[in-house]
Structure formats: structure tokens, C-alpha cells
Amino acid sequence: ILYIDITRTEDGTPYIAASSYVPTWVRNRNFTIIPVADALQEQIPDLRTEEITRMRQVQLDVTHMFSAEPIEELQSEYPITRERFISDFPGLPLWGSLPWR
């Protein structure tokens, strides 16, 4: 899940004021979306060992993709900083725009 807070400057120019993400897991049995950190911290009773192992890897993979390095500690939401987007994607008219846009 990706959260993006878009706002405007006084002259009306849009910019991304803040952004964050939440790694999730979709259970194939009933297509339930589960936030990974919640599932791993609360120890949901009907999770299989394979699901827990894969969720831990998903958390590392997703945080590595968005943060440039895996984040070991579990959080309910991970911020994406403005500075990272400016340095990684200079020259975009709306800084922070997703690079695949």
C-alpha cells in the first residue's frame, strides 16, 4: 500500500509533501490483504510456517525496494523521504513522481 500526500504551493504548483508505504500479504485462500508487520507482530493464529517465512522476506524485499536497503525492524508504516526522491530522480517536473509514470 502506498500513501502519497499531494499538495500545492501558494502559486498552485503541485508537489508531493509526504509519502509512505505498508508492505502487505494477500492470502490466496480468501484474498484477504494483511499488513505484514501486523501479521508478524500479532502472530495471527492460523498463519502457516511457510506464510510467516515468506512474509518476513516480503518485508525485507519491499523495504529494500523503497528505502535502498532492507529495514530489519517491523513498523506499521515506512516513510519515503523527500530528499531521496530529489537525489534519485532529479529533473522530474513533479519531484517524487513515480519513475515508471
Side-chain angles (χ1 to χ4, degrees):
I1 298 173
L2 181 65
Y3 296 106
I4 300 175
D5 180 10
I6 300 174
T7 190
R8 293 183 182 272
T9 61
E10 288 182 19
D11 70 357
T13 305
Y15 69 95
I16 296 177
S19 56
S20 62
Y21 61 94
V22 177
T24 60
W25 176 260
V26 178
R27 296 190 81 181
N28 290 335
R29 285 186 260 162
N30 55 9
F31 299 103
T32 303
I33 299 172
I34 303 170
V36 171
D38 292 351
L40 294 176
Q41 289 172 340
E42 294 174 13
Q43 299 297 320
I44 295 174
D46 63 337
L47 289 176
R48 296 186 319 254
T49 303
E50 302 83 33
E51 286 180 300
I52 293 170
T53 301
R54 184 66 183 121
M55 278 188 207
R56 286 192 178 109
Q57 188 60 51
V58 164
Q59 189 270 339
L60 292 175
D61 291 347
V62 171
T63 59
H64 182 253
M65 180 173 46
F66 281 103
S67 305
E69 57 186 65
I71 298 173
E72 296 286 337
E73 74 276 0
L74 292 172
Q75 301 173 41
S76 59
E77 189 174 324
Y78 300 86
I80 302 172
T81 64
R82 178 177 180 164
E83 291 77 21
R84 175 168 159 68
F85 278 102
I86 289 173
S87 65
D88 287 351
F89 309 109
L92 286 177
L94 176 62
W95 76 260
S97 295
L98 297 176
W100 53 85
R101 181 177 166 215

